[in-house]
Amino acid sequence: EDQWKKENYKRSICNWQNSSNIELANQLLSHPNIRIISSMIKRRLFEDVGGFKEEYFGGEDMTFWFEVALCGNIGYIDEILFHRRIHDNNTVKKFKGPRLISYLKALDYLKSTYDCVDKSIYRQRYYSKCLTGFKYYLNKKKYILSVRYFMKLLFFFPDYLINNFFNVIFGNQQS
């Protein structure tokens, strides 16, 4: 139930009606929260944005909704329209590793393609996914892959990583 509250909160903080297209696109980048199963879109708009960028498996929804927000209006119905079942065989859980890599590539695609990407949001999302990748592979005892994400963190976020080393490595435990 906490997960649903978090997702509903993310939807509630978007300014769906009073934002410019660029502002809404960046809000959706900051708080990805549209479930494709609960959305409808005109075919023409879908084709105008080029559909889903399937090469970004794990980030295809993010790039899609960012581009849709730039091109058209997005409406929001503040009602529960469906319930999603989460289990160990969900695509998100089953393919977490490959999805993390593609998500970072999707972020880089948006940053290199659109000048309007908010740099602080980009950095926050990039950091979050790198940290998730580091912890995920460390937990799986795949140390080389874990080091890959640690090096990204060290290269892109050295000040934060140094200041929060024990928290990043060990969670909330401090030595």
Side-chain angles (χ1 to χ4, degrees), residues 2-118:
D2 287 340
Q3 181 175 353
W4 309 126
K5 287 181 182 178
K6 285 180 187 177
E7 286 190 20
N8 287 331
Y9 172 73
K10 286 180 182 180
R11 281 185 268 288
S12 73
I13 61 176
C14 271
N15 190 349
W16 296 96
Q17 295 177 344
N18 300 316
S19 296
S20 71
N21 291 40
I22 291 172
E23 290 168 336
L24 184 57
N26 278 296
Q27 288 176 47
L28 293 174
L29 183 60
S30 178
H31 306 289
N33 60 42
I34 299 176
R35 296 282 174 215
I36 194 65
I37 195 168
S38 65
S39 59
M40 295 184 340
I41 186 167
K42 291 182 179 179
R43 178 183 295 262
R44 177 153 172 85
L45 181 57
F46 183 85
E47 291 168 352
D48 286 349
V49 300
F52 290 103
K53 310 237 175 333
E54 294 178 26
E55 65 270 28
Y56 301 124
F57 175 62
E60 71 277 14
D61 287 0
M62 174 187 56
T63 58
F64 178 74
W65 289 114
F66 187 91
E67 292 172 331
V68 166
L70 291 178
C71 293
N73 296 324
I74 298 178
Y76 171 67
I77 301 170
D78 192 11
E79 292 178 39
I80 295 172
L81 301 174
F82 77 100
H83 291 279
R84 184 170 64 122
R85 188 170 73 92
I86 297 177
H87 50 83
D88 289 337
N89 215 19
N90 279 92
T91 303
V92 172
K93 288 185 179 184
K94 194 173 180 181
F95 299 105
K96 188 167 188 166
R99 289 174 60 86
L100 285 167
I101 293 166
S102 291
Y103 192 97
L104 294 176
K105 289 178 181 176
L107 279 170
D108 287 338
Y109 160 78
L110 289 176
K111 183 181 170 211
S112 65
T113 306
Y114 299 101
D115 292 334
C116 62
V117 170
D118 183 300

